Amino acid sequence: MNSINRRSALLAGLAVAGGGALAACGSGSGGAPALVSPDSKVVAATERGRRASGTVRNVTLTAAPAVLDLGGKVTAKSWAYGGHAPGKEIRLTAGDTLAAELSNQLPGGTTTSVHWHGIALRADMDGVPPVTQAAVRAGRNFTYRFVAETPGTYFFHPHVGVQLDRGLHAPLIVEDPKEPLSYDDEWVVVLDDWVDGVTGTPDEVLAELSRGMGGMGTGGSGHGGSSGHDMGDMGGMDMGDMDMSGGSDDGGGPGGSGGMSMKFMLMGARSDLLGGDAGDVKYPYHLVNGRVPTDPDVYTGKPGKRVRLRIVNAGGDTAYRVALGGHKLTITHTDGYPVAHQQVDALLVGMGERYDVLVTLADGVFPLVALAEGKKASGMALVRTGSGTAPKPTVRPAELTGMIMNAARLTAADEVRLDTRKTDRVHRVELTGGMAGYDWGINGKRYDMKHPTAHPLTVEQGQRVRLDFVNKTDMWHPMHLHGHTYQLGTGGPRKDTTIVLPGRTVSVYFDADNPGRWMLHCHNAYHGEAGMMTLLAYEA
């Protein structure tokens, strides 16, 4: 069963049940602690305590089928907000209340939601069926209303199935009314890997991946086993549309009658920066602001001007190495929070991560390249400040092999660094599974949407919490925590999404100051949907 059908069968039932289904999960059983429900009084009280400006911004988000122009005579039948991908940017000032009405016009009875990625908001507005709300049924509307207290670069997308890997995403920018940075202009840059409506759909991708690689004789094991991507001396081959079953596409792999279809699975994607295996999915296009590199988005400016780039990786399975040819980038923020400024040649940006950088523009035409890390492909946009010929779509500026920065090497700005205090609770978060059975999980378990509050990681309000991400797999994972921003180590940057390399442990700290039930998951859309999720919940 594909991801939408598998999950939507549950969510449709929850939508009928409405809030009662959520309330039914509120009490503990078998000695387990009772959990704070998303609509509890303590959640409402926390929301009232946020610094609100009194300004309300009303927007309507219509999720509907769309034929998207990706440039270069490439069109894609997909789903999008308002007929565009990325969708229209929402821009607020910190303290504003966002009232966003979602209108679900998706086909085939498809349910959906909106998750506000990176925002510390009230739990019942987080957009995660069935944990925080019932899914929004086709033909119905739902209004998300919350105070956006913290300035920064964020984005929004569904949290149902693998809808993220369609065109349903858009930037959310929360401006600082006391902005400390000095710059002349802004350019929001959204990176995306694209398959939908070109070679298939994300649900077809997931269906193929979910068969695993057990039928290919790779020797991959389950938890902590080989990812199976190397394939011996086949690792460097472009498998393309090769069907390993000898012509049958009838569900090969475990449980299938033949071999494995290779229409979507990418083989031989390797990156030292990502610790080995770079990704699972073969994407026909990599987009910058919704455009293919042969017909790129163009930012027009003037030499000498200082521009703030807000970079968002909205992709499903691709980390991007980002550089602007002929320029240095000064990193100022990651995931919305300021860092000690660092001048670099390039950035490594995992799915769900955001970076703000400052750049002083030179005179000419320059490529902003998003290299699909380990995948031998790229997206591109242009910066034009004067005369000159546009570079080729496959250009590789020297900066891509210069000083490449990732979050692990940044430090938090003084004003946002967590104070030193005793850690009250520690949770070990083992990242488990592999490509052999496509059995991605946390602590050896796949998240079960039918029992969303089973086996939560619990915290109490006011605690200092440490999460130890222990990657027992042979792949990297961008781990995202909803409703909070954590700190990498004792002095690293404040983030909500961080790359955890294979075989490594990353410890993060946060203060439990936003009661509710929150997802903790891999932001690879396919790993998360396959089960690499868990619930972090406040005890009532």
Side-chain angles (χ1 to χ4, degrees):
M1 185 181 290
N2 69 36
S3 68
I4 286 182
N5 290 339
R6 177 167 65 84
R7 185 178 283 189
S8 294
L10 165 67
L11 299 185
L14 284 170
V16 173
L22 297 174
C25 300
S27 60
S29 61
L35 306 178
V36 170
S37 64
D39 56 356
S40 71
K41 292 181 179 179
V42 68
V43 170
T46 301
E47 179 74 354
R48 289 194 298 271
R50 302 191 198 279
R51 297 185 296 272
S53 66
T55 299
V56 178
R57 173 77 190 282
N58 294 285
V59 300
T60 299
L61 299 172
T62 301
V67 178
L68 303 172
D69 178 7
L70 306 184
K73 299 182 179 179
V74 178
T75 59
K77 292 182 179 180
S78 186
W79 301 342
Y81 297 124
H84 300 280
K88 184 179 179 181
E89 166 193 305
I90 296 176
R91 189 170 285 258
L92 311 170
T93 299
D96 289 354
T97 296
L98 177 63
E101 184 180 31
L102 169 65
S103 175
N104 181 2
Q105 302 301 320
L106 297 177
T110 301
T111 61
T112 192
S113 71
V114 178
H115 167 57
W116 309 91
H117 183 109
I119 294 283
L121 77 175
R122 56 183 301 151
D124 54 349
M125 295 290 113
D126 195 40
V128 183
V131 174
T132 66
Q133 69 171 98
V136 181
R137 291 188 292 179
R140 300 291 183 89
N141 293 2
F142 181 89
T143 297
Y144 295 89
R145 186 182 180 95
F146 58 88
V147 176
E149 183 180 33
T150 306
T153 301
Y154 307 98
F155 74 120
F156 56 93
H157 58 80
H159 220 282
V160 174
V162 287
Q163 292 179 13
L164 165 67
D165 217 19
R166 295 183 185 261
L168 292 166
H169 55 77
L172 172 62
I173 308 302
V174 183
E175 296 181 330
D176 189 341
K178 300 178 180 179
E179 179 58 64
L181 295 179
S182 176
Y183 52 92
D184 302 300
D185 198 10
E186 282 192 14
W187 185 27
V188 179
V189 176
V190 180
L191 314 176
D192 195 15
D193 41 17
W194 196 274
V195 66
D196 193 37
V198 179
T199 55
T201 69
D203 299 286
E204 291 169 341
V205 173
L206 181 64
E208 181 181 301
L209 294 175
S210 294
R211 296 168 191 156
M213 299 184 72
M216 298 184 70
T218 61
S221 60
H223 307 307
S226 169
S227 69
H229 271 50
D230 283 344
M231 296 293 292
D233 60 3
M234 295 171 66
M237 293 177 62
D238 181 359
M239 307 297 280
D241 293 340
M242 181 176 179
D243 187 339
M244 300 297 285
S245 67
S248 172
D249 186 10
D250 57 358
S257 59
M260 167 170 276
S261 167
M262 299 299 295
K263 183 176 181 180
F264 303 111
M265 187 180 291
L266 179 65
M267 309 301 296
R270 307 291 298 175
S271 165
D272 290 341
L273 291 178
L274 295 174
D277 194 336
D280 298 337
V281 182
K282 175 182 286 187
Y283 289 95
Y285 298 108
H286 295 273
L287 311 180
V288 179
N289 288 341
R291 308 290 292 183
V292 297
T294 55
D295 188 5
D297 185 43
V298 180
Y299 173 84
T300 302
K302 295 182 179 180
K305 294 296 184 180
R306 200 178 199 200
V307 179
R308 180 180 190 166
L309 276 62
R310 297 180 181 264
I311 301 169
V312 178
N313 185 349
D317 178 72
T318 307
Y320 289 100
R321 193 189 310 192
V322 181
L324 178 59
H327 293 76
K328 296 281 189 179
L329 307 175
T330 300
I331 303 173
T332 64
H333 296 72
T334 180
D335 291 2
Y337 277 71
V339 298
H341 291 193
Q342 290 272 1
Q343 189 176 79
V344 302
D345 294 304
L347 300 167
L348 181 66
V349 189
M351 297 84 77
E353 289 190 294
R354 294 91 60 212
Y355 283 87
D356 292 20
V357 302
L358 293 176
V359 58
T360 301
L361 299 180
D363 188 4
V365 182
F366 306 95
L368 179 75
V369 175
L371 183 68
E373 185 64 30
K375 294 188 174 184
K376 301 178 182 178
S378 62
M380 185 186 75
L382 293 179
V383 172
R384 181 179 288 276
T385 63
S387 60
T389 303
K392 294 181 179 179
T394 55
V395 64
R396 298 287 186 267
E399 287 79 6
L400 288 170
T401 55
M403 181 183 178
I404 305 165
M405 182 61 69
N406 59 36
R409 297 164 59 194
L410 297 172
T411 57
D414 291 342
E415 64 269 25
V416 298
R417 185 178 293 113
L418 292 180
D419 61 324
T420 301
R421 57 173 283 195
K422 176 180 174 291
T423 299
D424 302 300
R425 190 163 298 192
V426 178
H427 285 292
R428 181 180 174 91
V429 184
E430 286 194 2
L431 313 181
T432 55
M435 286 298 296
Y438 215 74
D439 55 351
W440 304 111
I442 288 180
N443 292 332
K445 297 182 178 67
R446 292 182 175 187
Y447 188 69
D448 185 356
M449 283 290 175
K450 294 181 179 180
H451 302 94
T453 59
H455 313 295
L457 306 177
T458 60
V459 299
E460 295 180 21
Q461 188 160 357
Q463 288 184 328
R464 170 66 57 83
V465 181
R466 190 181 89 210
L467 303 177
D468 293 333
F469 296 123
V470 183
N471 191 346
K472 306 289 282 187
T473 80
D474 290 338
M475 258 190 105
W476 69 286
H477 303 283
M479 297 304 297
H480 173 51
L481 174 62
H482 289 209
H484 301 77
T485 297
Y486 49 64
Q487 181 169 287
L488 298 189
T490 56
R494 297 283 300 279
K495 291 180 65 63
D496 54 71
T497 309
T498 192
I499 291 173
V500 184
L501 297 180
R504 301 289 184 87
T505 296
V506 176
S507 295
V508 303
Y509 297 81
F510 69 93
D511 289 332
D513 56 6
N514 195 18
R517 300 175 187 177
W518 306 102
M519 296 309 300
L520 174 64
H521 65 95
C522 177
H523 218 269
N524 182 309
Y526 300 95
H527 293 181
E529 178 63 8
M532 192 173 275
M533 296 190 188
T534 193
L535 184 69
L536 186 141
Y538 282 64
E539 296 177 12

